[in-house]
Amino acid sequence: MQLHISPSMRSITISSSNEFIDLMKIKVAARHISYRTLFHTILILAFLLPFVFILTAVVTLEGVNKCSSIDCLGRRLGPRLLGRVDNTERLARDFYKILNEVSTQDIPDGLKLPDSFSQLVSDMKNSPYDAKTFALVLRAMMEKFERDIRESKFAELMNKHFAASSIPKGIYCLSLRLTDEYSSNAHARRQLPSPELLPVLSDNAYHHFILATDNILAASVVVSSAVQSSSKPEKIVFHIITDKKTYAGMHSWFALNSVAPAIVEIKGVHQFDWLTRENVPVLEAVESHNGVRDYYHGNHIAGANLTETTPRTFASKLQSRSPKYISLLNHLRIYIPELFPNLDKVVFLDDDIVVQRDLAPLWDVDLGGKVNGAVETCHGEDEWVMSKRLRNYFNFSHPLIAKHLDPEECAWAYGMNVFDLQAWRKTNIRETYHSWLRENLKSNLTMWKLGTLPPALIAFKSHVHVIDSSWHMLGLGYQNKTNIENVKKAAVIHYNGQSKPWLEIGFEHLRPFWTKYVNYSNDFIKNCHILE
């Protein structure tokens, strides 16, 4: 850059170094400006011009979106100070107005919707939409996708319900093969326990476990895990109750696969003289009542308004309609004092549990005159298992329920219970259970829906002694995000819920706690490809 002053001092020219371009030319009239003023002007220009060029370069390098220089800041604030607004903000406001307008309008019949975002872009390119039409198409697309996702979720829940209610091919194969073995192999029919051990079945010096199930594989895991976790397996006696069709297979398994020194007794429901129609009339009614059978075995979608039902509510309703809830095996626990008249104290186990710690200390727990030692289920944060109160199980709009129960009362869990049978026999628990079952049948199942626990919550009211939650961890069949460290520490883990470990829908990271007790070297297990 060069500065030229004319000889007459009448003009000043600032030009580029190549002398071809005049950047600034100042003509001065002698009578209007003094030499001193001119000199000062030249000094100021010489000082400021380099800064102008430097600022221009900085702005160019920084770009508009990362401003830190004064000039860039000025260019951003200038339009606002002058009343001008960025076009992108104006467009966003206009588009919001259009979206808000079309949100209350009916979507035109026959409006063709793109199947994907890329198709939407292609359609806009080929036949441009006006803003309102675009907003309508966008709204219709989103509503369609929401419906599709919702329908898929309900279909998934139905398929999961059917999977949970069905018998896996491998387990069905195991039952058939063992039943056949019972008819052809004398060793599979040997007496359990052997005659010299029969007195032990009523000896209260032993630790007696009761298990009611028709699942041979599940029963084998419960027994094996309890025996392997015990410090004194020779003190264990298992009383396994099953139905008539499963009896031969169940007997074969434990006759051919000894768990000595523990003792196992297998009894079919048909072998209990006490279980007559006279003693269990309500259960007979439950199994034969057409309305009940339709509810548990009928069409689970008929009559359900899926548009007003959340997937979680629908899943809960499906869970409550499992056919197992009207099975006699599931109700047998209420008759334990009558079925085992010589026993004083027992631990009742569900077939979807695994024992991981010695349970012998449970026989030393003082129940304080109560009947049922159980874990409460109202002290956790999860919605599925450990935050349950009576309001979660009962219909408190029913006058009888509202009159007799407190919706905020804490619930407790079946699955691992310590029963003091001596104290139980002094109560009217069974009669109360039957009475409320009758009332629920009369009300067409409007008092509660979910199986055997609700009437038990009423019948055992004021008869429950709370035991430490570390004895019984629930929810492994519900929650995929179960804390593994907590699982490892629990004495008994319970796969309550649909995702049983023997089903394909079981949670893979929780399955190993169960499969470690499956005897994969057994020929029946291998030939039936159990969890292959």
Side-chain angles (χ1 to χ4, degrees):
M1 184 172 63
Q2 296 179 353
L3 185 68
H4 298 282
I5 303 174
S6 67
S8 61
M9 303 296 288
R10 295 296 183 97
S11 67
I12 301 169
T13 303
I14 302 172
S15 63
S16 62
S17 57
N18 57 19
E19 298 186 359
F20 289 109
I21 301 174
D22 292 338
L23 294 179
M24 187 180 294
K25 188 170 183 179
I26 302 173
K27 292 185 178 181
V28 183
R31 64 181 181 272
H32 294 300
I33 188 167
S34 65
Y35 287 110
R36 179 177 293 180
T37 301
L38 178 62
F39 179 72
H40 289 160
T41 302
I42 293 171
L43 284 179
I44 291 171
L45 290 172
F47 178 77
L48 290 177
L49 283 174
F51 283 98
V52 172
F53 286 109
I54 291 172
L55 285 173
T56 303
V58 169
V59 171
T60 302
L61 291 173
E62 286 182 342
V64 177
N65 293 325
K66 295 181 179 180
C67 286
S68 61
S69 65
I70 295 174
D71 178 71
C72 183
L73 184 62
R75 286 192 290 105
R76 280 195 162 187
L77 294 178
R80 293 181 181 274
L81 294 173
L82 295 173
R84 297 195 299 270
V85 182
D86 189 357
N87 283 337
T88 57
E89 294 183 6
R90 179 178 59 79
L91 286 173
R93 284 204 307 270
D94 291 344
F95 191 54
Y96 169 76
K97 290 179 181 177
I98 295 171
L99 288 175
N100 195 44
E101 180 184 342
V102 301
S103 65
T104 58
Q105 294 182 1
D106 294 332
I107 297 175
D109 294 333
L111 182 65
K112 185 178 180 182
L113 299 180
D115 293 326
S116 64
F117 178 76
S118 58
Q119 186 180 340
L120 174 64
V121 174
S122 176
D123 290 350
M124 291 179 65
K125 181 179 179 181
N126 297 330
S127 53
Y129 299 142
D130 58 64
K132 186 175 180 180
T133 303
F134 173 75
L136 278 171
V137 170
L138 191 62
R139 176 192 159 197
M141 285 181 65
M142 293 188 68
E143 289 181 355
K144 179 179 179 297
F145 292 151
E146 286 175 358
R147 287 194 301 271
D148 291 346
I149 293 171
R150 184 180 177 83
E151 290 173 4
S152 298
K153 185 63 178 177
F154 284 120
E156 177 193 353
L157 292 172
M158 280 299 303
N159 291 335
K160 191 173 182 180
H161 172 71
F162 292 138
S165 303
S166 61
I167 301 174
K169 182 170 63 175
I171 292 179
Y172 182 67
C173 164
L174 182 66
S175 181
L176 287 180
R177 286 176 177 266
L178 287 168
T179 299
D180 181 65
E181 194 72 13
Y182 184 85
S183 63
S184 60
N185 184 346
H187 189 62
R189 297 192 302 272
R190 71 181 178 89
Q191 185 174 346
L192 290 178
S194 55
E196 65 273 13
L197 294 175
L198 288 177
V200 173
L201 297 180
S202 56
D203 189 342
N204 285 295
Y206 287 78
H207 298 153
H208 295 268
F209 293 90
I210 296 177
L211 172 65
T213 180
D214 60 356
N215 187 327
I216 298 171
L217 184 65
S220 73
V221 169
V222 173
V223 174
S224 296
S225 64
V227 172
Q228 292 181 38
S229 300
S230 175
S231 59
K232 294 181 179 179
E234 67 277 5
K235 300 287 287 183
I236 290 179
V237 180
F238 260 95
H239 304 268
I240 300 177
I241 308 172
T242 190
D243 56 20
K244 191 172 184 178
K245 65 178 174 57
T246 313
Y247 172 77
M250 188 76 74
H251 191 283
S252 292
W253 175 266
F254 287 100
L256 299 173
N257 298 277
S258 173
V259 291
I263 296 169
V264 176
E265 176 194 28
I266 309 296
K267 293 201 75 171
V269 171
H270 59 288
Q271 295 174 320
F272 286 97
D273 295 332
W274 188 87
L275 288 174
T276 63
R277 292 189 177 186
E278 290 74 24
N279 289 328
V280 289
V282 176
L283 296 188
E284 180 73 17
V286 167
E287 288 192 324
S288 60
H289 191 284
N290 289 333
V292 173
R293 293 194 63 80
D294 287 343
Y295 179 79
Y296 287 100
H297 293 282
N299 188 334
H300 295 341
I301 295 183
N305 188 352
L306 298 184
T307 59
E308 298 180 1
T309 303
T310 65
R312 189 182 184 284
T313 302
F314 186 63
S316 298
K317 289 181 178 179
L318 287 178
Q319 174 70 11
S320 70
R321 295 178 75 163
S322 172
K324 73 176 184 178
Y325 290 128
I326 58 171
S327 165
L328 178 59
L329 283 176
N330 207 38
H331 288 270
L332 273 183
R333 63 197 79 191
I334 205 68
Y335 305 116
I336 289 175
E338 289 77 24
L339 300 181
F340 300 95
N342 297 317
L343 297 182
D344 296 338
K345 197 172 190 178
V346 300
V347 169
F348 178 86
L349 299 174
D350 275 351
D351 64 359
D352 53 355
I353 64 99
V354 173
V355 180
Q356 302 188 126
R357 207 166 72 212
D358 188 8
L359 298 185
L362 288 175
W363 272 263
D364 298 324
V365 173
D366 182 7
L367 298 183
K370 304 291 186 180
V371 172
N372 179 6
V375 169
E376 285 188 323
T377 56
C378 64
H379 302 298
E381 296 180 355
D382 67 278
E383 296 181 356
W384 281 104
V385 181
M386 297 303 292
S387 58
K388 299 294 187 182
R389 298 184 181 273
L390 295 195
R391 65 172 181 266
N392 300 109
Y393 295 98
F394 296 97
N395 173 19
F396 276 87
S397 64
H398 193 286
L400 275 179
I401 295 296
K403 179 180 178 181
H404 291 91
L405 301 179
D406 176 7
E408 297 305 314
E409 183 177 332
C410 192
W412 48 268
Y414 263 147
M416 198 284 293
N417 303 84
V418 186
F419 289 133
D420 183 339
L421 301 187
Q422 286 183 312
W424 191 338
R425 294 185 184 103
K426 299 174 183 177
T427 70
N428 61 346
I429 289 175
R430 174 166 57 92
E431 291 75 14
T432 304
Y433 188 89
H434 282 175
S435 173
W436 281 92
L437 274 180
R438 289 190 193 96
E439 291 296 333
N440 196 33
L441 282 175
K442 289 179 185 177
S443 71
N444 198 26
L445 304 180
T446 58
M447 297 168 72
W448 71 79
K449 299 291 187 185
L450 186 60
T452 56
L453 183 56
L457 290 172
I458 301 175
F460 282 101
K461 186 177 175 61
S462 75
H463 295 296
V464 176
H465 174 82
V466 179
I467 61 176
D468 191 271
S469 60
S470 63
W471 283 110
H472 185 191
M473 181 180 181
L474 297 106
L476 276 70
Y478 279 119
Q479 302 176 116
N480 187 29
K481 297 180 180 179
T482 301
N483 186 294
I484 296 297
E485 292 305 314
N486 291 341
V487 173
K488 293 177 181 178
K489 296 175 184 176
V492 171
I493 54 175
H494 194 171
Y495 291 85
N496 59 312
Q498 290 181 320
S499 301
K500 304 297 186 189
W502 56 81
L503 299 175
E504 291 185 6
I505 59 174
F507 300 126
E508 290 297 332
H509 65 297
L510 299 176
R511 198 193 306 274
F513 293 97
W514 187 84
T515 54
K516 67 185 289 188
Y517 296 105
V518 176
N519 182 7
Y520 286 103
S521 63
N522 182 276
D523 288 338
F524 290 100
I525 299 289
K526 288 191 290 186
N527 292 335
C528 288
H529 309 288
I530 300 291
L531 295 174
E532 190 177 31

